[in-house]
């Protein structure tokens, strides 16, 4: 399958690297072309993955593609689509841009930068086009995929696309607490990351609800409940809910 990714920044770049790794691992037969605004960006990818085709010319880059993935900033979507429109017949056009619509786009997808490591949580907007199956397969190569109605795309973006940033803030807060209690930042980061990984693995392996897992570490009258109640008094749950809803239109 021939894929062209227009825009090789944080998101496009993560997808390109994830797909390049999947192709190297023999998970799919992908022929990947990418474009960017500057040669400097393209050179970084050719050095890492010499098998990729890199071009500064978007029109040329989409000519032979089966699937074109638009990964430029939302305000550039219309001009990029206008630029390549003549070369899009018979191709599936996918956009990962947040809150940008264009009639030439067939499928809207919302991945996250975990794609680079095969760990994206990607939302694909449900529609009746047959092409959605090919797009689902493509994004499944770089993580989990959920097909949702248009009304849930914004929530998906906030929880998973932006969610990476929110999880980082929680980690940083844990680290700051750890440093105040006497750990070096590197040690505090290792502790926070390993604890988060352990918590996630616990839920994945047991299928437990988070509150049931909390019961496992909470002794009546013990120290865990004191910390949990401090979080409640400070409005932690409410802050997280408000954070997720803040970006919805
Ligand atoms: N970042 C995320 O976590 C995330 C998650 C989900 C969705 N998204 C969506 O992904 C899109 C890109 O975001 P980003 O964070 O990846 O932005 P970014 O890091 O700024 O990357 C934008 C890329 O577009 C390239 N570019 C600019 N103008 C171009 C043109 N005319 N033709 C071809 N390429 C062009 C840039 O090239 P140069 O590198 O040469 O300047 C750069 O590689 C946005 O629409 C965003 O909503 C982002």
């Amino acid at each position: 399958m021939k894929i062209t990714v227009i825009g090789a920044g944080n998101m496009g770049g993560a997808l390109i690297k994830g797909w390049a790794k999947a192709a190297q691992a023999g998970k799919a037969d992908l022929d990947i072309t990418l474009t960017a605004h500057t040669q400097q960006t393209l050179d970084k990818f050719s050095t890492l993955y010499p098998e990729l085709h890199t071009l500064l010319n978007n029109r040329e880059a989409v000519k032979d593609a089966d699937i074109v993935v638009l990964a430029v900033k939302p305000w550039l979507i219309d001009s990029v689509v206008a630029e390549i429109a003549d070369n899009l017949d018979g191709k599936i056009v996918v956009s990962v841009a947040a809150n940008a619509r264009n009639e030439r786009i067939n499928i809207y997808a919302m991945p996250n930068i975990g794609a680079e490591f095969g760990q994206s949580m990607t939302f694909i907007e449900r529609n009746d086009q047959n092409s959605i199956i090919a797009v689902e397969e493509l994004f499944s190569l770089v993580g989990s995929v959920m097909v949702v109605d248009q009304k849930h795309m914004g929530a998906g973006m906030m929880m998973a696309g932006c969610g990476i940033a929110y999880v980082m803030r929680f980690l940083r807060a844990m680290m700051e607490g750890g440093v105040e209690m006497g750990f070096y930042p590197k040690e505090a980061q290792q502790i926070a990351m390993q604890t988060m990984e352990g918590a996630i693995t616990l839920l994945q392996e047991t299928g437990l609800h988070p509150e049931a897992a909390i019961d496992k570490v909470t002794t009546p009258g013990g120290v865990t409940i004191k910390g949990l109640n401090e979080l409640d008094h400070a409005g932690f749950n409410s802050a997280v809910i408000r954070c997720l809803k803040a970006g919805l239109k």
Side-chain angles (χ1 to χ4, degrees):
M1 188 185 290
K2 293 189 171 184
I3 316 292
T4 295
V5 182
I6 305 225
N10 294 308
M11 192 61 251
L15 287 168
I16 292 160
K17 287 178 190 167
W19 285 324
K21 287 179 201 172
Q24 280 179 352
K27 290 184 187 160
D29 184 11
L30 299 179
D31 185 340
I32 305 166
T33 299
L34 60 122
T35 73
H37 186 54
T38 62
Q39 186 62 41
Q40 205 184 358
T41 295
L42 296 181
D43 290 345
K44 282 188 215 152
F45 285 89
S46 343
T47 310
L48 282 173
Y49 303 100
E51 70 276 22
L52 301 180
H53 312 289
T54 58
L55 283 170
L56 284 172
N57 185 322
N58 292 333
R59 282 172 59 83
E60 196 63 31
V62 301
K63 240 164 68 184
D64 297 323
D66 300 306
I67 299 184
V68 176
V69 179
L70 304 176
V72 292
K73 288 291 189 193
W75 55 87
L76 292 177
I77 288 289
D78 285 343
S79 61
V80 167
V81 169
E83 188 187 344
I84 60 178
D86 291 348
N87 283 349
L88 289 181
D89 281 353
K91 295 173 174 110
I92 304 170
V93 182
V94 183
S95 170
V96 302
N99 298 324
R101 301 245 146 197
N102 181 291
E103 58 182 18
R104 195 55 195 78
I105 292 167
N106 303 103
I107 310 270
Y108 292 93
M110 183 47 62
N112 72 23
I113 56 170
E116 179 172 350
F117 312 101
Q119 292 285 351
S120 176
M121 177 66 241
T122 303
F123 296 86
I124 296 179
E125 187 175 313
R126 194 186 313 281
N127 69 35
D128 53 12
Q129 300 197 35
N130 292 333
S131 51
I132 198 165
I133 295 165
V135 175
E136 226 182 308
E137 277 175 13
L138 182 64
F139 281 86
S140 294
L141 292 170
V142 290
S144 297
V145 173
M146 204 179 272
V147 178
V148 299
D149 293 332
Q150 182 184 349
K151 67 177 182 193
H152 287 129
M153 286 297 283
M157 174 186 74
M158 291 305 290
M159 284 191 76
C162 311
I164 296 247
Y166 308 143
V167 170
M168 294 300 166
R169 270 294 160 85
F170 176 76
L171 275 171
R172 190 189 77 172
M174 254 186 122
M175 282 175 63
E176 284 174 350
V179 172
E180 190 174 327
M181 292 186 294
F183 288 110
Y184 285 102
K186 265 205 152 140
E187 294 171 330
Q189 180 167 348
Q190 187 194 338
I191 296 163
M193 281 169 37
Q194 181 58 51
T195 304
M196 189 168 279
E197 202 167 338
I200 288 164
T201 307
L202 173 68
L203 297 186
Q204 281 171 338
E205 294 291 322
T206 61
L208 281 176
H209 185 284
E211 283 303 317
I214 284 176
D215 282 348
K216 282 180 179 284
V217 283
T218 310
T219 308
V223 291
T224 309
I225 190 65
K226 289 194 170 77
L228 287 169
N229 286 346
E230 276 302 319
L231 282 178
D232 271 354
H233 294 318
F236 177 76
N237 275 16
S238 174
V240 173
I241 293 163
R242 288 180 69 162
C243 150
L244 292 174
K245 287 170 68 183
L248 289 184
K249 282 196 166 171

